[in-house]
Amino acid sequence: MLLAVLLTSPALAQSDKAIAISPVRASDHVGESRYALIVGIDDYADDRIPDLSLCETDAKAVHAVLTDPNAGGVHPQNATLLLGEQASARAIKRGLND
């Protein structure tokens, strides 16, 4: 499952005026108080749950975007990536508590 949020200004959506765009580093604006817990599991021990093929790859990509100072701006120390067997219920709960 991947959740994406797009935030736009209603004023910009209704405007037909051109606006200047300049490069912005997310890390310059969001500060150090952002955290991310990214979980990707391809293979499940429970046979009732079909194995997947791209969840771990997608989780790695989301982690890369979130920790990119020009994109997500989350400090790498504040981002936890749990893949496959690392993503136990205990590890996820620990990650949420941290």
Side-chain angles (χ1 to χ4, degrees):
M1 178 169 77
L2 179 61
L3 174 63
V5 178
L6 177 62
L7 301 174
T8 61
S9 166
L12 289 178
Q14 296 174 2
S15 173
D16 60 352
K17 296 180 182 178
I19 58 171
I21 298 175
S22 59
V24 175
R25 289 175 45 97
S27 59
D28 293 341
H29 299 279
V30 297
E32 295 293 321
S33 63
R34 294 184 53 166
Y35 296 86
L37 174 63
I38 303 105
V39 178
I41 304 171
D42 284 345
D43 301 315
Y44 291 88
D46 187 336
D47 291 333
R48 296 174 294 177
I49 302 173
D51 290 340
L52 303 169
S53 59
L54 296 173
C55 288
E56 292 179 24
T57 301
D58 289 348
K60 290 176 188 176
V62 169
H63 181 269
V65 169
L66 290 177
T67 58
D68 181 337
N70 295 314
V74 176
H75 193 281
Q77 284 180 240
N78 295 345
T80 301
L81 176 62
L82 299 174
L83 301 174
E85 292 180 4
Q86 295 175 329
S88 66
R90 183 176 185 176
I92 293 170
K93 287 176 187 175
R94 187 177 330 122
L96 290 171
N97 285 327
D98 289 348

